Amino acid sequence: MRLDPALYAAIERSAASDLRSVNAQVECLLREALGRRGVKLAEPVRAKRGRPPRDKGDEA
């Protein structure tokens, strides 16, 4: 995606203040803008965090 450098810098500052990556900030801003226009979206699929559950067969 090509963006004006000033726009990218503004998104970068906004992302930093929200503790997000630029990519996540762009996605968040797009979702907010679409929501204001009445476009319905499914909730984003959140990545699982942390260690996967331990299998019973893995015990040493």
Side-chain angles (χ1 to χ4, degrees):
M1 177 185 317
R2 292 186 185 107
L3 296 174
D4 177 274
L7 177 59
Y8 186 88
I11 294 170
E12 202 170 31
R13 287 190 304 274
S14 177
S17 70
D18 290 346
L19 301 175
R20 290 189 178 116
S21 67
V22 170
N23 187 65
Q25 189 70 357
V26 167
E27 184 176 343
C28 183
L29 292 170
L30 286 171
R31 286 181 178 279
E32 288 176 5
L34 288 171
R36 283 193 300 270
R37 289 179 170 234
V39 177
K40 303 281 186 193
L41 293 172
E43 284 296 315
V45 176
R46 304 280 183 216
K48 292 183 181 179
R49 300 188 68 142
R51 289 185 174 191
R54 202 168 160 182
D55 290 338
K56 296 287 184 186
D58 288 347
E59 295 181 26

